[in-house]
Amino acid sequence: KAGVTQTPRYLIKTRGQQVTLSCSPISGHRSVSWYQQTPGQGLQFLFEYFSETQRNKGNFPGRFSGRQFSNSRSEMNVSTLELGDSALYLCASSLDGGRDGYTFGSGTRLTVV
Amino acid sequence: QQQVKQSPQSLIVQKGGIPIINCAYENTAFDYFPWYQQFPGKGPALLIAIRPDVSEKKEGRFTISFNKSAKQFSLHIMDSQPGDSATYFCAASMESSASKIIFGSGTRLSIRP
């Protein structure tokens, strides 16, 4: 079966712009989580969506937001981009957000210049 | 208290050797400890996971040892192969926010032929 699909794979944006990243979970998965991966801070949890509702949130500023659609696809938006937002953004899906293991996508590499 | 401390940062082992990666945590509310493997250009993939009521778990060549009193756990890779070369992350989560996975800083493992 198809895995978690993230688009685009690479993105270059200018400081101050905004960006939207997309994630299509595995068919049947209702939970989608987003993570930021950087060399300095490692993997950090951004937020989780389940059945179109944000269920958990990490410690990121309000510039980071997301949403989930009725087909479980999710988008993540970052407004007023800063150089420090350059990172690999990973999406992970699971059946119900429980402990059965998350499947990660290959990520979107965002570079802010 | 939300941290998971991982060591070493990098590790080089000869083929057939047994690399050991160690992790420690403070928050006793953590009750699920997965390990993830990440290859370059890919997202992390769940390797093996353990709960604190078990002291050891084996899956193929991968073994987790868990010491609840010391709040430490480790990953052993038996008969390591060059294909095991990857970055390994220990992690932890708690029942109340199962989707929020707290990752260690990662260990870059290289298996020499």
Side-chain angles (χ1 to χ4, degrees), chain A residues 32-110:
Chain A
V32 173
S33 296
W34 288 88
Y35 286 80
Q36 182 195 63
Q37 185 173 23
T38 60
Q41 299 299 316
L43 278 152
Q44 292 187 286
F45 175 79
L46 280 153
F47 32 65
E48 182 223 0
Y49 284 85
F50 181 82
S51 292
E52 303 178 63
T53 301
Q54 188 181 86
R55 192 162 66 169
N56 273 306
K57 190 176 187 306
N59 299 320
F60 279 81
R63 299 186 297 107
F64 292 82
S65 63
R67 60 178 175 167
Q68 187 179 35
F69 302 95
S70 57
N71 62 357
S72 293
R73 190 177 71 85
S74 177
E75 287 182 347
M76 190 192 102
N77 185 77
V78 187
S79 62
T80 319
L81 283 165
E82 300 177 0
L83 296 178
D85 296 333
S86 295
L88 180 67
Y89 289 90
L90 292 158
C91 162
S93 77
S94 80
L95 276 169
D96 59 5
R99 309 301 186 91
D100 60 347
Y102 282 83
T103 301
F104 281 82
S106 294
T108 293
R109 171 77 62 186
L110 171 65

